[in-house]
Amino acid sequence: MPRPINVLFVSAEVYPFAKTGGLADVSYGLVMALRERGVDIRVMLPKYGCVSERKNHIHEIRRLRTIEIPMGNRLEPAAIKSSTLQNPRVRAQVYVTTNYTYFDSRKGLYTDPQTGKPYPDNDERFLFFCRSVVEMCHFLRWFPDIIHYNDWQTATVGVYVRTLYPAEFRRTRLVFTLHTLSDQGVFPPETWLKTGLPANIAERLLHRGMVNFVKAGIEFADVVTTVSPSYAQEILMESIDTGGIGELLRQRHPDTFVGILNGVDSTVWNPQTDPYLDHHYNAETVWVVKPLNKRQLLQRFELRYDPKVPVLGMITRLYAVKGIELFLEVAPTLLSRRDLQIVFLGDGAPEYRTALQKLQRQFPRRFALFLGFDETLAHLIEAGADMFLMPSLQEPCGQNQMYSMLYGTVPIVRATGGLKDTVRDFNPETGEGTGIVFEEATPQALLAAIERALELYRQPELWQKLVANGMAQDFSWSRSAQQYVELYRALTKGKEAVRAAVL
Ligand code: GLC
């Protein structure tokens, strides 16, 4: 038996501690799946003000009560605390960085919930966090085989590893996963002064005249991954706007960049056991039980329940890449012409919040809106809605379309990134397919796709087939987690092994 690989997994969001989107679910699901495959994996995240120490069983580690982190010309204290991540079968050690100024005093993760604006010192906050990760390892004399970090918030972990303690970490390999390129952590050049890094590496953090954390993450990583094969392709071909990151990956990492599709954690997202639902079901009972969830969902918003009227669900962060504008363009037509109810859960850009509130005032009986994030409601929407909409302009992977299929909720998605890799368009002739897929990012194409779903909904036999196809899909983490295990193993062996694992 080879000795288990040890990994430190670093993420700005981890379910159930802190979540704004899919990153949190993936951090939890992947870590648990790797743990089940014998990987000795530990997790690290910041303790934001919204993370309750009591609920999450976070407690002090005496030795790590004060680690001093150099920030500019002063020292900021970080206390590293401990908790666990678990499912019914395994558990993993969690480290949380606590600091009052940067994290505990803020309710939001990246944006101020009061104003909807990003915190002006996000560069400093996450530099501090990344440095705390590296200083903790150094303090503990723990130099894991792999440090796996995610998105711009944690991207500078690799930079600090390689510049502060190159000798100590010489056996440590670095994996950087891109969950999105639509937010690259781009800051003015002055941000450089906050990094405390030697001047000779400045070039490696700068991109088009700005400090770009994603670029820094790529520069120092041994392998870069992203969360679906199609998104990897789109990045490399620059068929989506990557702001030049695609070119960078082509030049620097021809065979150290790979797309591995995310999975679904079946202890959290399974309609038969879902801890957030009152009414559980499977492919046989969906026809009897889904209506109970639908009724409960509509009741929550004081909307009328009518079994004949389909409910369309949407759960998304409010950003342009998620196709919010497309939705806002078609919604009034749809809601005034069609017998349909829409339930929308999301948060983000203030202008979209306002537009959605307006829609809600215009169609109070058909459009239900919850601005913010609520895990229980997210599960109830997946279980209670008949259809689920993701009109994304870009979608690195997307989790909700997979949850939808497993919950017997038909996804309507645009053919991009992970949506393309997970949903197959339904063909009424053959009865094959798991959702409705449309190509063009236009209001017409979106409207036509929704019309197509509504037509099918009125033909119970076809609809039942479509729902059954979705529920029969296997999106478990098994395959993807195995791919990560192979990648980690290859990294401990050398370049040739990595090339073989990636290709
Ligand atoms: C980001 C992406 C989403 C992906 C998730 C987890 O939220 O936008 O597509 O599923 O990360 O990787």
Side-chain angles (χ1 to χ4, degrees), residues 364-432:
R365 282 194 297 273
R366 292 189 161 180
F367 184 69
L369 175 66
F370 185 97
L371 290 173
F373 189 73
D374 178 328
E375 188 73 26
T376 306
L377 179 57
H379 286 253
L380 189 57
I381 291 176
E382 288 294 7
D386 299 290
M387 318 167 179
F388 193 92
L389 183 59
M390 294 178 81
S392 310
L393 309 182
Q394 299 175 15
E395 195 62 76
C397 178
Q399 301 301 116
N400 283 313
Q401 81 281 12
M402 295 192 271
Y403 302 156
S404 296
M405 286 180 267
L406 299 173
Y407 280 61
T409 306
V410 173
I412 304 170
V413 305
R414 201 177 85 75
T416 179
L419 297 176
K420 207 153 88 181
D421 293 342
T422 51
V423 185
R424 274 171 297 122
D425 192 38
F426 184 69
N427 178 341
E429 308 281 296
T430 61
E432 278 166 21

Side-chain angles (χ1 to χ4, degrees), residues 19 119 150 177 211 266 296 339 387 402 431 466 487 501:
K19 168 168 173 177
Y119 294 118
N150 299 274
T177 296
V211 169
S266 61
Q296 194 180 348
D339 223 2
M387 318 167 179
M402 295 192 271
L466 174 52
L487 188 62

Side-chain angles (χ1 to χ4, degrees), residues 47-85:
K47 193 205 146 313
Y48 310 97
C50 58
V51 178
S52 148
E53 293 209 358
R54 194 179 47 79
K55 271 199 208 136
N56 292 289
H57 307 287
I58 296 174
H59 39 77
E60 259 188 26
I61 307 174
R62 266 172 109 229
R63 296 171 63 202
L64 299 177
R65 220 154 32 185
T66 20
I67 294 194
E68 305 214 300
I69 310 291
M71 291 301 290
N73 47 18
R74 54 171 219 287
L75 292 172
E76 263 297 322
I80 315 291
K81 297 188 179 178
S82 159
S83 184
T84 50
L85 207 59

Side-chain angles (χ1 to χ4, degrees), residues 13 20-27 150-151 177-182 226-228 231 260 262 317 321-322 390 392 394-402 417-419 477 484:
E13 298 186 18
T20 72
L23 172 62
D25 288 6
V26 168
S27 297
N150 299 274
D151 276 355
T177 296
L178 294 168
H179 296 262
T180 184
L181 275 182
S182 54
T226 189
V227 289
S228 73
Y231 191 64
I260 301 177
N262 287 337
R317 277 166 294 144
V321 286
K322 298 290 180 187
M390 294 178 81
S392 310
Q394 299 175 15
E395 195 62 76
C397 178
Q399 301 301 116
N400 283 313
Q401 81 281 12
M402 295 192 271
L419 297 176
W477 270 106
Y484 281 104

Side-chain angles (χ1 to χ4, degrees), residues 245-262:
I245 295 296
E247 196 192 334
L248 213 92
L249 282 164
R250 272 202 312 277
Q251 284 169 4
R252 304 193 57 92
H253 287 268
D255 46 20
T256 51
F257 175 57
V258 62
I260 301 177
L261 191 69
N262 287 337

Side-chain angles (χ1 to χ4, degrees), residues 290-330:
K290 189 181 251 297
L292 303 178
N293 287 308
K294 181 167 167 178
R295 186 194 294 266
Q296 194 180 348
L297 172 64
L298 294 173
Q299 254 164 11
R300 188 170 159 160
F301 289 99
E302 294 173 13
L303 291 189
R304 204 168 70 87
Y305 168 73
D306 177 344
K308 287 195 291 297
V309 177
V311 169
L312 179 74
M314 208 164 158
I315 306 172
T316 179
R317 277 166 294 144
L318 304 175
Y319 295 108
V321 286
K322 298 290 180 187
I324 308 298
E325 269 153 47
L326 282 181
F327 171 76
L328 287 169
E329 251 178 278
V330 306

